Amino acid sequence: MSALTPERIGRFKVLSVAGAGGMATVYRAEDPEDQKTVAIKVLPGVFGRQEAFVERFKREARIYMSISHESIPKVYDFGVDAGRYYIAMEWLEGLNLRDWLAEQKELPADALWRKMFREICRCLAAAHERGILHRDLTEGNIIITPAGAVRITDFGLSVMVREAHFTLTGDILGTPHYSAPEQITASKNVTAAADIWSLGVLGYQLAAGRRPIEGENSPAVIKKILDPGYEPDSPGRLNPALSVRSGSVIRKCLQRDIRRRYVSVSEILRDLDGPPE
């Protein structure tokens, strides 16, 4: 480890740096109480100096500690150490959706697509039932374990940093590819419908190997998302193995008009249980 890497964060012994970026640094660490490997997410110092952001971080962390679902990483602890606000979470082995898709030699058959998409939906439904929105579902926080199980990470944590960064600098972090139209035009007033749009993007990407809306830069992507005349290719055309029902589920998630989109994730799960055609 470098001289800048702490030996400990809270009670946890730091083993290595697992990843670093503008939104957080993630360390692989060990809990001395039971030798369990954990992931420690440390927020950039600039955000730790904002009282409103810190209070929101604490509130969100407590909520996530209360979630008990096999598809959501457990949160073991959160706090501040040497001025660094951190959250200690279950360590996940596996690949994010982007890297997992890159390793696949062919697009998934309908049965596999349904199994994986159902797992993502079940996880999100568990959070929504507790009044928790994700608001930042992307390819980067869907994890596929070596056993093929699906996990969702970063409930609300990444988007908190993005909003704080925008307040400080006026620059937008991250990709808009997974953002619902209403999330782009009124990001402070999003509902569960925005998570359902993001589900549609992930379902499309899982089926077709690419996202439904692409562009040379973020403004180009945003323009297409907001353009009611722009329609992406049918996922069934890109992946003929996809059933009619699965394709229709994806399309209903991606309705720009909230009134035509799914009302809840449980409604998506009911549709997924129907016959393929």
Side-chain angles (χ1 to χ4, degrees), residues 23-224:
M23 292 186 292
T25 299
V26 179
Y27 297 96
R28 185 172 179 268
E30 181 182 84
D31 188 339
E33 293 184 359
D34 54 12
Q35 287 71 56
K36 182 182 297 180
T37 301
V38 300
I40 307 289
K41 174 172 284 191
V42 178
L43 301 178
V46 64
F47 303 133
R49 292 192 290 271
Q50 299 179 68
E51 183 178 353
F53 178 76
V54 169
E55 288 306 311
R56 181 177 171 189
F57 169 71
K58 291 178 179 178
R59 184 172 63 252
E60 298 260 356
R62 291 189 187 100
I63 291 172
Y64 303 137
M65 289 178 75
S66 72
I67 300 177
S68 178
H69 192 273
E70 61 189 14
S71 296
I72 301 174
K74 296 179 179 67
V75 173
Y76 303 122
D77 188 27
F78 71 96
V80 59
D81 183 291
R84 298 180 296 256
Y85 283 87
Y86 69 88
I87 183 165
M89 308 175 70
E90 177 184 1
W91 177 264
L92 295 178
E93 296 287 351
L95 299 173
N96 64 36
L97 180 61
R98 177 185 59 251
D99 295 338
W100 184 85
L101 285 170
E103 288 194 351
Q104 306 310 301
K105 294 181 172 58
E106 58 186 13
L107 296 174
D110 187 67
L112 177 59
W113 180 88
R114 281 213 211 188
K115 175 181 179 293
M116 297 183 70
F117 190 61
R118 184 181 286 109
E119 287 302 305
I120 297 172
C121 289
R122 285 180 59 245
C123 174
L124 190 61
H128 282 189
E129 287 168 3
R130 292 164 175 79
I132 300 168
L133 305 182
H134 193 290
R135 301 192 299 152
D136 194 33
L137 277 173
T138 71
E139 60 185 10
N141 49 42
I142 303 297
I143 305 298
I144 316 297
T145 72
V150 178
R151 302 286 187 267
I152 298 183
T153 65
D154 283 349
F155 271 81
L157 299 179
S158 292
V159 77
M160 281 196 295
V161 180
R162 289 182 184 180
E163 288 177 356
H165 178 92
F166 182 78
T167 300
L168 286 174
T169 68
D171 296 327
I172 298 175
L173 282 173
T175 169
H177 295 76
Y178 302 85
S179 298
E182 70 274 11
Q183 196 169 4
I184 292 171
T185 57
S187 62
K188 300 295 184 182
N189 300 312
V190 298
T191 66
D195 277 352
I196 289 174
W197 171 281
S198 301
L199 273 179
V201 178
L202 289 169
Y204 188 109
Q205 186 174 5
L206 182 60
R210 65 176 178 83
R211 295 173 294 207
I213 299 177
E214 298 284 7
E216 62 272 16
N217 51 42
S218 292
V221 172
I222 290 171
K223 182 179 179 180
K224 288 180 180 179

Side-chain angles (χ1 to χ4, degrees), residues 218-265:
S218 292
V221 172
I222 290 171
K223 182 179 179 180
K224 288 180 180 179
I225 292 174
L226 298 179
D227 180 5
Y230 178 81
E231 290 296 332
D233 289 333
S234 165
R237 189 182 73 81
L238 298 174
N239 182 356
L242 198 68
S243 70
V244 172
R245 178 175 290 271
S246 298
S248 69
V249 167
I250 294 171
R251 288 192 297 273
K252 189 169 181 179
C253 289
L254 292 174
Q255 292 296 317
R256 289 182 175 86
D257 186 342
I258 293 179
R259 295 168 297 181
R260 299 181 64 189
R261 209 178 298 165
Y262 281 107
V263 173
S264 67
V265 183

